[in-house]
Amino acid sequence: MQDLTPAQAALRDAARNYHRQPTHGKVAVVPTKPLSNQHDLSLAYSPGVAYPCLDIQANPTLAAEYTARGNLVGVVTNGTAVLGLGDIGPLAGKPVMEGKGCLFKKFAGIDVFDIELAERDPDKLVDIIAALEPTLGGVNLEDIKAPECFYIERKLRERMNIPVFHDDQHGTAIIAGAALLNGLELVGKRIEDAKVAVSGAGAAALACLDVLVGLGAKPQNIFVCDSKGVIYEGRPGGFDESKARYAQKTEARTLADVVRGADVFLGCSTAGVLSADMVKSMADKPVILALANPNPEIDPAEARLARPDCIIATGRSDYPNQVNNVLCFPYIFRGALDCGATRITEEMKLACVREIAALAKAESSAEVAAAYAGKELNFGPDYIIPTPFDPRLILRIAPAVAEAAVRSGVATRPITDIAAYRASLERYIYQSGMLMRPVISAAQAVPAAQKRVVYAEGEDERVLRAVQSVVDDGLATPLLVGRQSVIERRIARAGLRLKVGRDVQVCDPETDSRYETWWKEFHRLMARNGVTQEAARAAVRRSTTVLAALMVRMNDADAMICGTLGRFDVHFQHVSDIIGKEPHAPCMAALNALIAGGRTLFIADTYINSDPGPELLASIARLAVQEVRNFGLPPKVAFLSHSNFGSSTRPSALKMRAARDLFRQQMPDVECDGEMHGDTALSPELRARSVPDSTLSGEANLLICPSLDAANILFNVLKTTDGNGVTIGPILLGAAAPVHVLTPSATVRRLINMTALAVAEAQSRRAAH
């Protein structure tokens, strides 16, 4: 890669470090059973392992119960068409395959072996992959070039009794099909009547067309162009068999010819092939799917300038209507694996299409709306397909796919209770490692200039490194409290590209003209607390947190991050004195989030209220519920105790029981229960043994602890026992402005996350007012 922009160079360096540290690569194999004594060893291996082996020999379907095979997909490539990079070979393609495995795991809880094969002969590839059937529950073919990919998939589907899915073809096709269905509905056209002009005749384009035909498009209305022009009957030089079914009897020879009068443009080709003049020549209210990556066939702004009545979707996340395969492949495999499907049928794919299309038209849930604050998520020209982080995707697609597998006759373990199955899928929502993505998306929805975040410890190198990413990602306009000379020296020492005055603004009370306004406001607030004018002047000079809080109070900043140096309670006291709590908030509290051990947990109150009573605990729970919703998750509240549903009558147990009762009265629509043990909160099986009529289903994701000590100890133990877990917080609840007080252990990653959270909160408050 030559002549990289500074942002591209930063992305390159960050990606290299991400893949290299703290461990090499992105995946690992982790045992799921204990192996701590001789008894465990005798069960895991010889002699006990012989019994499940013999059972499987007698009944092969038991492999799904006794082994990981029923939840294991092989992501297989030979590296001949890797993700916009081309034929870079299987070894160079391995980071992409590991990444695909991470998406399977994060979105749908599916384990993956990434398998890179140094083989280009299609028949040998088929033999190798087919021989892996005893290992795998499904095969996701990835980044294999056309036309070989068609042949390989077809032969594998004939030979293997497990799902085989070429995502580059069918994933794109499913999402594009959903987008087109909804786009045509909005413009009042029927797919049966639509003229479709296509640029590209590779794997993705042809799979898209097969899906469109399955949805009702007429082959005689589809006109396809490859690099040599229109595919028409009798074309000199011919074309391969995969394209033949879309050859037309036509005098048209160029893309411009077939686009004229078309209702739909489908692009799976290369950037810039669709001109503004071509768009102008299309039929009224055209639907344009410009899916080339990284740059579409036409820029959406250019298309809309040429035809304001068009609806356009691309493959990019920075434009509306992103056709993203992650909307599909984790969930279609989830449904297929869970019902023991032997293949993925056309009916299963079309069920996926229809569920995705329907979800875009469904009323936005409170959690989705909160997670994407600042974005319009109502069905319309800029929202014809759901966002990739809508937690309802798995709940709708996987059951629909499983039901379609039964109708297709390919389900070896049919799911009879779909409602119970749908409820069981909720655990994957809570276990998602993608918790921050909706928050970051919301933060990026507004220009950075409108999101001013002040960092109290602006001279701290961790803050500066985080701010570099904040600037690169367009999350905010950073304001740094500190001395400009020190900040510039530390930027240079860290090798960062930040420029004071261009990327960041420095706020130094020694040189800032607003100093007098700031100290006078501080004196006005604190005069009756024994703070003299001289003390007010000194406090604003000496305490960077005082200064940052005053900037937020006086609208010189929209949000604030502090606490990377010094004691939490000192910082919090300044925030409390200057910013205070929201008028209608019952209190302020601290919430920490942790993604570890395959689940997402929120823990309160970790830093502020030492020994809250029942009323205060219920209030803290109410504040925390709203914050959990801001992450796009439906809150499930557990009031924790040493007591389990009445097993103790000690005061702390009675307190948690009363807190739960108060909370239920105040928020009857939120699932909750208590008082209960921590393991009972996370295990519906344990809960069912104690109270079959529990008012909490599945795993709790919001843990309300009886005291600050309990919450803080719980969080820090969990954080340390899973060193690779993602931690977010402390999140300050109930403050009158978006302010967060961190701790000295805060990492660069946490600073970035908290910045996004503060910005998203600021946008949400602005929208509310």
Side-chain angles (χ1 to χ4, degrees):
M1 300 181 184
Q2 302 295 323
D3 301 323
L4 296 180
T5 66
Q8 289 171 328
L11 178 63
R12 175 201 61 196
D13 296 341
R16 287 171 175 169
N17 288 332
Y18 177 86
H19 283 78
R20 184 182 291 127
Q21 298 175 353
T23 55
H24 302 326
K26 299 190 285 283
V27 296
V29 177
V30 180
T32 59
K33 298 291 192 300
L35 194 61
S36 55
N37 54 46
Q38 184 62 38
H39 178 66
D40 290 345
L41 182 60
S42 69
L43 297 177
Y45 201 56
S46 181
V49 74
Y51 295 104
C53 288
L54 293 173
D55 289 347
I56 293 170
Q57 182 186 31
N59 180 4
T61 64
L62 290 175
E65 294 185 29
Y66 291 153
T67 75
R69 183 175 183 262
N71 193 50
L72 182 62
V73 167
V75 174
V76 184
T77 190
N78 67 350
T80 52
V82 177
L83 190 66
L85 301 174
D87 187 354
I88 62 174
L91 184 59
K94 187 174 178 65
V96 177
M97 304 310 124
E98 286 189 356
K100 193 62 172 276
C102 290
L103 296 179
F104 268 108
K105 186 66 174 179
K106 296 298 185 182
F107 281 98
I110 294 171
D111 295 318
V112 164
F113 286 164
D114 63 284
I115 301 169
E116 296 77 28
L117 300 174
E119 181 55 70
R120 304 177 74 90
D121 182 280
D123 289 308
K124 290 183 178 178
L125 270 173
V126 169
D127 289 339
I128 295 168
I129 298 167
L132 293 170
E133 183 169 345
T135 298
L136 304 172
V139 172
N140 186 90
L141 298 173
E142 192 79 13
D143 295 348
I144 300 173
K145 70 181 180 72
E148 289 92 332
C149 60
F150 302 117
Y151 175 82
I152 292 166
E153 185 189 36
R154 185 174 72 251
K155 289 296 183 182
L156 289 173
R157 285 164 61 92
E158 292 170 359
R159 289 178 57 174
M160 302 180 81
N161 285 313
I162 57 176
V164 178
F165 188 76
H166 186 207
D167 184 47
D168 299 330
Q169 294 180 60
H170 308 301
T172 301
I174 286 167
I175 314 306
L180 184 58
L181 276 183
N182 281 346
L184 289 173
E185 179 179 328
L186 280 171
V187 299
K189 297 181 181 180
R190 299 186 335 134
I191 194 169
E192 295 86 348
D193 304 326
K195 177 186 176 183
V196 182
V198 185
S199 175
L206 294 175
C208 286
L209 295 181
D210 290 344
V211 165
L212 298 190
V213 170
L215 293 170
K218 297 292 194 300
Q220 60 266 31
N221 294 338
I222 298 172
F223 298 83
V224 183
C225 296
D226 61 11
S227 59
K228 298 177 182 177
V230 176
I231 297 172
Y232 63 91
E233 292 182 3
R235 189 175 78 174
F239 32 78
D240 64 64
E241 180 185 350
S242 63
K243 302 177 185 179
R245 61 186 182 276
Y246 290 109
Q248 291 281 22
K249 292 180 179 179
T250 178
E251 298 300 316
R253 295 295 180 265
T254 68
L255 181 62
D257 293 338
V258 297
V259 164
R260 190 175 301 112
D263 300 288
V264 176
F265 170 82
L266 170 64
C268 296
S269 53
T270 190
V273 299
L274 184 67
S275 69
D277 287 340
M278 292 183 195
V279 173
K280 290 177 182 177
S281 75
M282 295 180 73
D284 290 343
K285 299 179 181 177
V287 178
I288 299 171
L289 307 181
L291 308 183
N293 264 319
N295 298 309
E297 284 80 1
I298 187 170
D299 184 89
E302 184 181 0
R304 287 197 170 105
L305 187 63
R307 288 295 296 273
D309 62 343
C310 77
I311 293 176
I312 183 165
T314 72
R316 291 179 56 134
S317 61
D318 50 351
Y319 296 126
N321 299 325
Q322 184 192 13
V323 175
N324 188 328
N325 289 13
V326 82
L327 284 165
C328 159
F329 71 81
Y331 314 122
I332 198 168
F333 266 102
R334 182 74 275 158
L337 291 172
D338 289 342
C339 71
T342 57
R343 58 184 298 182
I344 293 175
T345 65
E346 292 305 307
E347 187 168 359
M348 292 161 74
K349 287 188 281 186
L350 293 180
C352 191
V353 171
R354 294 189 175 100
E355 285 300 324
I356 293 170
L359 184 54
K361 293 182 284 187
E363 181 180 349
S364 180
S365 69
E367 290 79 26
V368 173
Y372 287 91
K375 287 195 172 184
E376 186 65 40
L377 296 184
N378 296 320
F379 182 52
D382 286 338
Y383 190 68
I384 58 174
I385 42 179
T387 60
F389 298 95
D390 191 321
R392 296 170 296 176
L393 284 163
I394 192 170
L395 303 180
R396 297 189 64 143
I397 294 174
V401 168
E403 289 181 300
V406 173
R407 292 194 298 271
S408 303
V410 298
T412 61
R413 299 189 302 276
I415 297 171
T416 55
D417 189 339
I418 289 294
Y421 174 57
R422 185 175 288 110
S424 75
L425 292 170
E426 291 185 358
R427 68 189 187 275
Y428 297 117
I429 298 174
Y430 307 138
Q431 294 171 5
S432 172
M434 300 294 180
L435 184 68
M436 282 303 302
R437 287 306 313 165
V439 176
I440 291 172
S441 177
Q444 291 174 324
V446 176
Q450 299 178 25
K451 304 168 292 188
R452 303 162 299 166
V453 177
V454 57
Y455 298 83
E457 293 86 26
E459 297 177 359
D460 188 299
E461 187 171 311
R462 286 169 299 167
V463 171
L464 294 173
R465 290 188 180 278
V467 162
Q468 181 69 74
S469 293
V470 168
V471 170
D472 290 341
D473 294 341
L475 289 176
T477 295
L479 312 175
L480 303 177
V481 176
R483 297 159 291 180
Q484 182 166 332
S485 60
V486 174
I487 289 171
E488 289 178 332
R489 187 163 64 248
R490 291 181 179 173
I491 286 173
R493 186 176 68 189
L496 304 176
R497 293 167 283 105
L498 294 171
K499 295 291 183 186
V500 172
R502 182 193 69 186
D503 303 312
V504 300
Q505 303 297 321
V506 171
C507 307
D508 183 349
E510 299 295 341
T511 59
D512 200 300
S513 62
R514 295 169 291 181
Y515 166 68
E516 185 173 358
T517 305
W518 290 331
W519 78 254
K520 285 183 176 178
E521 176 65 9
F522 185 61
H523 178 256
R524 186 186 70 79
L525 289 171
M526 303 300 294
R528 293 186 180 273
N529 288 63
V531 176
T532 64
Q533 291 189 2
E534 291 73 17
R537 290 190 186 96
V540 174
R541 281 199 182 97
R542 200 170 49 237
S543 172
T544 58
T545 298
V546 167
L547 175 55
L550 286 165
M551 290 178 66
V552 173
R553 179 180 178 86
M554 303 185 72
N555 201 33
D556 293 321
D558 300 305
M560 169 184 165
I561 303 292
C562 67
T564 58
L565 302 171
R567 289 168 46 191
F568 178 95
D569 55 350
V570 173
H571 292 283
F572 173 73
Q573 189 60 56
H574 291 319
V575 169
S576 182
D577 289 340
I578 297 168
I579 292 174
K581 71 178 183 66
E582 244 180 335
H584 302 295
C587 62
M588 284 196 278
L591 178 73
N592 278 80
L594 176 77
I595 308 167
R599 56 176 54 88
T600 298
L601 295 174
F602 294 83
I603 302 169
D605 170 14
T606 45
Y607 282 96
I608 294 174
N609 299 285
S610 296
D611 187 17
E615 295 81 5
L616 191 53
L617 282 167
S619 297
I620 291 168
R622 293 205 313 274
L623 292 171
V625 159
Q626 186 54 54
E627 195 63 45
V628 172
R629 284 174 170 163
N630 288 341
F631 285 90
L633 297 178
K636 298 197 173 190
V637 187
F639 289 85
L640 300 188
S641 173
H642 73 278
S643 173
N644 203 43
F645 299 110
S647 65
S648 170
T649 56
R650 290 178 179 174
S652 62
L654 298 177
K655 175 178 77 170
M656 298 309 289
R657 195 181 311 169
R660 177 259 190 185
D661 291 342
L662 287 169
F663 177 80
R664 282 202 71 193
Q665 293 170 16
Q666 296 161 2
M667 301 195 82
D669 59 319
V670 177
E671 287 191 32
C672 73
D673 215 334
E675 84 286 11
M676 68 175 78
H677 289 167
D679 55 352
T680 306
L682 301 182
S683 171
E685 293 80 13
L686 286 177
R687 206 157 52 247
R689 291 180 204 165
S690 300
V691 283
D693 60 344
S694 174
T695 50
L696 177 65
S697 65
E699 291 189 359
N701 60 0
L702 173 53
L703 309 181
I704 305 300
C705 296
S707 68
L708 184 152
D709 281 346
N712 190 280
I713 291 167
L714 174 62
F715 170 71
N716 281 295
V717 168
L718 290 176
K719 176 183 72 175
T720 304
T721 53
D722 193 328
N724 292 322
V726 177
T727 59
I728 302 165
I731 302 166
L732 186 58
L733 307 176
V739 176
H740 296 294
V741 183
L742 276 58
T743 59
S745 63
T747 61
V748 170
R749 184 182 192 182
R750 202 187 309 179
L751 280 158
I752 296 168
N753 285 342
M754 295 306 294
T755 299
L757 189 62
V759 168
E761 184 182 350
Q763 298 310 311
S764 180
R765 288 174 184 244
R766 187 175 289 120
H769 296 301

